[in-house]
């Protein structure tokens, strides 16, 4: 039996068969070989891929939208199901696509639930504050008289100073930061409940119509509401900055501000709707109940998601046990505590913290000027619409010969300012929910920081050249709404590359006293030029434009610093961190051309080489001249 050929194509039989078949030199379709080229006349797959590439070299197939197929993307059960199932599936896919466009891929639905849980704490906090704030002036005027309001504003500064000192003292303790919500929330709940019950008392409460500045209840109510709004809001954002990453903050802070604005709308709306039927004391009681609700949402958040502080402590305990220790972690707060002054020290030491202060507070100088301009124009406008006659003793003082406001003018001004509040908070809510996160993600924080001061400058210029009531009305709405929806989230994100001391202690000084100081500075300007609307617009607008220009410069500086710090890992305020010190030193040296440690660009290297070559040539020429 002949041995089997392992290569039958080279056998004698195969060669004989090949010789019997006619073939041409140009033919590529041999019976014993596969064709190397396709016989179709259409374009090849390589040609199709080349045609689909755009100018950046990126294939259009990489675009997620171009991969969507109306048939392949639909689940099989939807194709087999009825029309309702198909409609439900299409709606779900459309909502997911809209969600990705608004909030990006850094905030998945699971992370959105976490954000909403934390946002509910802010909702009850702001809602309760605005509800009580709507009653603040009314209670003080009913008990102590309208002349007590300026004195109460000055007194509240000292009260807030005392509350901040206690707040900073608790920050220095070993208490977890989320426990401060329970401590302050319980304190204000008890305080507001006591005030509400005392307002119901017929002797010391609202039933006693005798106005006297010696009635302490009015002062306590005013200062309690002021201190609550100052401390609790600062505490919330400090906690959020410590527990939310930078990428998540860019997508989620807009949602949180939207919930805050929703609370600022509902709180005054409840007072407007039910104060006459329920009574001020009952509305005050409802505001106190929000103190319990915000504690409940914070407790639920901690039980469900925990806190970074607790996770870091568990990691330290696990590491200690792994190293052979007992698992006991000694307190890190052995150093001498600086107390309330530590926030001021951090503010004075770091330019980055000063920049946050400028973004957080200085725009209030412009807002105060434009706001006062709006009220002056409203008074003039409605005084002409509802004029005061000399025969009307309710608005004309015969002894001083001073014309006041008629009841119709007062009601018109109140309605006008109510419309302003609703329009501002509604616009801010819509923009925060649908626009803030998308803008920060698309433009980046550096460009977003420039938007608000640029808008301020444009608004001030418009007010200067068109100082009419409704132009200023629209300008003020844009300023206030964008300060809530755009400026607040961006300035909170700036706290990401900072230490815990900066986030809590320096922030408390910035948010509480910096804001009040900026409003006071704006009031100085308005008081200096309050003799007429023309004088106020002419001079106040110049101050506003100067502040806007400075804020634009500061925004550029802060955007650059933020990108450098987040890229390098430097943490502002951590003096004892060697890694942070080395990074900051490298950044500082990189800005110095004289240091050998600086990072020099390629262009700088070429220039340095050219300078060295020129110097060598000059030395050679001098040597040749010397030899001659």
């Amino acid at each position: 039996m002949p041995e089997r050929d392992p290569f039958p194509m080279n056998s004698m039989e195969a060669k004989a068969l090949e010789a019997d078949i006619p073939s041409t030199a140009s033919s590529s379709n041999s019976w014993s070989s596969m064709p190397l080229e396709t016989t179709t006349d259409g374009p090849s797959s390589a040609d199709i891929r080349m045609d689909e590439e755009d100018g950046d070299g990126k294939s259009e197939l990489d675009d997620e939208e171009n991969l969507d197929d109306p048939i392949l993307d639909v689940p099989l059960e939807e194709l087999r199901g009825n029309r309702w199932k198909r409609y439900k599936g299409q709606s779900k896919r459309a909502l997911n696509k809209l969600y990705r466009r608004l909030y990006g891929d850094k905030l998945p639905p699971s992370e959105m639930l976490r954000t909403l849980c934390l946002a509910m704490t802010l909702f009850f906090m702001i809602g309760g504050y605005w509800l009580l704030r709507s009653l603040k002036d009314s209670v003080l005027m009913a008990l102590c008289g309208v002349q007590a309001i300026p004195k109460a504003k000055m007194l509240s500064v000292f009260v807030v100073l005392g509350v901040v000192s206690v707040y900073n003292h608790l920050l220095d303790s070993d208490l977890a930061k989320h426990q401060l919500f329970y401590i302050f929330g319980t304190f204000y709940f008890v305080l507001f409940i006591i005030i509400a019950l005392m307002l119901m008392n017929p002797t010391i409460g609202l039933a006693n119509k005798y106005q006297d500045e010696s009635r302490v209840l009015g002062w306590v109510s005013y200062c309690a509401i002021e201190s609550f709004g100052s401390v609790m809001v600062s505490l919330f954002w400090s906690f959020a900055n410590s527990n939310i990453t930078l990428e998540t903050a860019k997508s989620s802070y807009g949602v949180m501000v939207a919930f805050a604005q929703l609370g600022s709308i509902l709180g005054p709306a409840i007072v407007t709707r039910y104060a006459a039927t329920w009574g001020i004391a009952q509305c005050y009681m409802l505001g106190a109940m929000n103190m319990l609700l915000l504690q409940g949402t914070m407790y639920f958040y901690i039980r469900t998601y925990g806190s970074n502080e607790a996770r870091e402590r568990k990691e330290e305990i696990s590491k200690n046990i792994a190293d052979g220790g007992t698992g006991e972690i000694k307190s890190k707060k052995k150093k001498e505590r600086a107390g309330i002054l530590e926030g001021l020290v951090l503010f004075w030491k770091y330019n980055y913290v000063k920049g946050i202060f400028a973004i957080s507070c200085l725009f209030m100088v412009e807002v105060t000027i434009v706001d006062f301009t709006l009220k002056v124009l409203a008074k003039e406008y409605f005084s002409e619409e509802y004029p005061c006659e000399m025969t009307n003793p309710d608005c004309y003082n015969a002894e001083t010969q001073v014309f006041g406001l008629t009841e119709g003018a007062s009601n018109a001004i109140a309605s006008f300012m109510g419309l302003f509040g609703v329009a501002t908070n509604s616009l801010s809510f819509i923009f925060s929910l649908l626009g803030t996160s998308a803008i920060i993600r698309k433009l980046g924080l550096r460009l977003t920081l420039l938007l608000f001061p640029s808008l301020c400058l444009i608004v001030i210029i418009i007010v200067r050249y068109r100082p009419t009531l409704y132009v200023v009305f629209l300008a003020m709405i844009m300023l206030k709404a964008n300060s809530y929806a755009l400026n607040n989230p961006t300035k909170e994100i700036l706290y990401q590359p900072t230490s815990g001391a900066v986030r809590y202690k320096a922030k408390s000084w910035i948010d509480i006293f910096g804001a009040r100081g900026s409003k006071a500075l704006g009031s100085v300007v308005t008081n200096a030029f309050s003799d007429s609307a023309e004088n106020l617009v002419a001079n106040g607008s110049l101050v506003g434009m100067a502040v806007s220009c400075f804020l634009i410069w500061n925004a550029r500086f802060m955007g650059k610093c933020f990108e450098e710090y987040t890229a390098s890992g430097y943490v502002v305020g951590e003096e004892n961190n060697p890694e942070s010190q080395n990074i900051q030193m490298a950044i500082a040296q990189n800005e110095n051309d004289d240091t050998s440690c600086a990072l020099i660009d390629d262009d700088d290297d070429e220039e340095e080489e050219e300078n060295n070559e020129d110097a060598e040539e000059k030395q050679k020429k001098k040597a040749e001249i010397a030899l001659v």
Side-chain angles (χ1 to χ4, degrees), residues 60 136 145 163 194 224 262 271 307 397 402 418 422 461 498 509 545 565 588:
E60 293 180 359
K136 178 181 63 176
V163 175
I194 293 175
L262 188 60
V271 174
S307 64
N397 191 331
V402 174
V422 173
I461 293 175
T498 62
W509 280 96
M545 286 188 286
Y565 293 164

Side-chain angles (χ1 to χ4, degrees), residues 41-66:
D41 296 333
S44 66
S45 60
D47 295 334
I48 295 175
R49 287 194 298 269
M50 292 298 293
D51 291 340
E52 288 178 345
E53 291 186 354
D54 55 15
D56 297 332
K58 181 180 178 182
S59 174
E60 293 180 359
L61 294 177
D62 294 337
D63 191 355
E64 184 179 358
E65 295 183 1
N66 292 335

Side-chain angles (χ1 to χ4, degrees), residues 136-152:
K136 178 181 63 176
D137 292 332
S138 300
V139 171
L140 184 62
M141 286 188 293
L143 298 179
C144 304
V146 68
Q147 72 280 356
I149 292 180
K151 300 176 183 178

